[in-house]
Amino acid sequence: MAKKFESSIEVKSIKIDTIVDHPYIEHGINLSGTIYIDGVHDESVENIKLEVFKLTNGESPKIVSKHSIELVGAAASKDMQMIPFEIMPDERWIPDSNEEVTRLILRTTVLFENGSEYNDEDEIYFDIEE
């Protein structure tokens, strides 16, 4: 059983949670989920970047996918913003050598209009078996 994916960034009164629908992705399924932005918007979020890193034993993590979300119309309200995302795996996600499952890291990076940047990450899994 796969563990729950957890990624949360809190800055002042803003909380940004990245929720992945399924942290264990099988062949033919996209990585999907929702980014939730909650709180008073003292500082506006300019950009949210999602990056997937492949973990290979003994090597540095390699970026295998990038997804950028530009936020338009910064509403100054306490309402929660929900931003769905979907990332399609490609051949770079395929496990190396005799491995059946690839360990991947999904990193969420939030860039604020004042230039400050925060990130958090957690592990997901990609299984090539059909």
Side-chain angles (χ1 to χ4, degrees):
M1 183 174 159
K3 71 177 189 75
K4 182 180 176 183
F5 178 90
E6 296 179 24
S7 177
S8 184
I9 299 168
E10 290 189 53
V11 180
K12 296 184 181 177
S13 58
I14 298 176
K15 183 175 181 185
I16 296 119
D17 290 316
T18 302
I19 306 296
V20 169
D21 295 334
H22 304 284
Y24 192 89
I25 305 158
E26 296 178 2
H27 180 73
I29 305 295
N30 290 341
L31 170 61
S32 62
T34 306
I35 298 169
Y36 296 90
I37 303 173
D38 189 18
V40 180
H41 298 274
D42 297 330
E43 298 180 42
S44 297
V45 174
E46 184 175 299
N47 177 291
I48 297 175
K49 180 171 54 173
L50 298 173
E51 295 172 301
V52 178
F53 293 87
K54 184 176 184 177
L55 298 175
T56 306
N57 294 336
E59 294 182 24
S60 309
K62 296 177 185 169
I63 294 178
V64 294
S65 186
K66 291 182 184 181
H67 186 70
S68 185
I69 300 163
E70 297 288 333
L71 299 181
V72 251
S77 73
K78 293 184 181 183
D79 296 334
M80 180 177 291
Q81 288 182 276
M82 296 182 297
I83 305 163
F85 67 87
E86 191 166 350
I87 302 172
M88 185 173 14
D90 61 28
E91 66 278 353
R92 296 173 296 172
W93 294 40
I94 294 174
D96 294 328
S97 58
N98 296 331
E99 296 178 29
E100 290 182 15
V101 178
T102 297
R103 292 173 47 223
L104 302 167
I105 296 291
L106 175 62
R107 177 183 294 158
T108 304
T109 302
V110 179
L111 177 65
F112 289 89
E113 286 182 348
N114 68 4
S116 60
E117 185 176 289
Y118 301 89
N119 64 54
D120 193 29
E121 59 191 39
D122 200 5
E123 198 166 16
I124 55 177
Y125 304 88
F126 181 66
D127 185 355
I128 192 65
E129 293 290 315
E130 294 186 47

